[in-house]
Amino acid sequence: MSGRKLYRRLVSVDEVIPTIERYRPLEPLGEVEVGLAEAVGRVLSRNVYAPANYPPYTRALVDGYAVLSEDLAGVYEDRPRSLRLAGRVRTGETRLLQLSRGECVEVSTGAVVPYPADAVVPVEYTHREGGLVTFYRGVAKGENVDTAGADIAEGEVLAWRGDVVTPGLAAILAAVGVSRVHVFRPVRLGIVPTGNEIKEPGEPLEYGQVY
């Protein structure tokens, strides 16, 4: 037993790193650009900036009618007001409509809110007859509307150098149109097992030996 070395204390990673660096400095191995799916679990080597606003346009949060909130000031169930229907915008349509004072535009949830409308009245508080829509409640400016850039502004830092790309972060990056990012090259490790009991795979294994 005199020649046997006993390991009585485990050391932390912080203690081991200086020992390793005496033989080889620990430095980044360079970077590589990869797609988002491949980037999950890896470390960013550069900051990631938003290339566009999110949402990219002002959109309706409910099915209803886009209006100028001032047109419905003072409107209640017992004091309704009617506005002229100027058109309809469905979700996914890219055509642009404009409305004037005294008008409204029917919109679906997620549809573009036409300029200069600043609110959406839920369809449950309206009644449509012909080309007129009667409103039974007013709305505040910005109500039921998700303004362009409200969640993420163009140029905003979405992730910092050194951040790990998680599935959640990858989803956020994809939502603003980021498809590729720069990450550090992964460290490659090798394990060298030693011992008289070790045999190469494929060799005959005798009693007391392992592969």
Side-chain angles (χ1 to χ4, degrees), residues 85-106:
L85 182 62
R88 179 180 184 182
V89 180
R90 296 181 176 86
T91 305
E93 288 185 342
T94 57
R95 66 193 183 98
L96 300 178
L97 289 179
Q98 287 192 347
L99 76 162
S100 303
R101 294 295 301 269
E103 294 181 337
C104 64
V105 172
E106 184 180 357

Side-chain angles (χ1 to χ4, degrees), residues 65-76 79-83 99-105 113-122 135-145:
Y65 294 90
V67 299
L68 288 162
S69 56
E70 293 181 356
D71 282 344
L72 298 181
V75 170
Y76 297 98
R79 285 185 290 174
R81 185 173 301 163
S82 296
L83 301 177
L99 76 162
S100 303
R101 294 295 301 269
E103 294 181 337
C104 64
V105 172
V113 173
Y115 180 83
D118 58 11
V120 174
V121 179
F135 295 84
Y136 295 94
R137 58 157 288 191
V139 282
K141 183 177 181 179
E143 189 171 345
N144 299 318
V145 166

Side-chain angles (χ1 to χ4, degrees), residues 190-211:
I191 299 176
V192 182
T194 61
N196 296 333
E197 77 280 11
I198 298 175
K199 301 289 287 185
E200 287 284 347
E203 293 183 356
L205 193 66
E206 298 181 10
Y207 187 75
Q209 295 180 329
V210 295
Y211 290 119

Side-chain angles (χ1 to χ4, degrees), residues 48-54 152-156 158 172-179:
V48 181
Y49 299 88
N53 290 327
Y54 187 84
I152 298 172
E154 182 179 353
E156 180 180 342
L158 299 177
I172 293 173
L173 298 180
V176 293
V178 175
S179 61

Side-chain angles (χ1 to χ4, degrees), residues 30-86:
E31 64 176 6
V32 61
E33 186 180 22
V34 298
L36 284 182
E38 188 180 347
V40 173
R42 299 178 68 173
V43 180
L44 292 172
S45 60
R46 302 184 188 182
N47 295 345
V48 181
Y49 299 88
N53 290 327
Y54 187 84
Y57 57 88
T58 299
R59 60 186 180 182
L61 295 178
V62 296
D63 292 341
Y65 294 90
V67 299
L68 288 162
S69 56
E70 293 181 356
D71 282 344
L72 298 181
V75 170
Y76 297 98
E77 189 172 353
D78 59 344
R79 285 185 290 174
R81 185 173 301 163
S82 296
L83 301 177
R84 188 179 71 84
L85 182 62

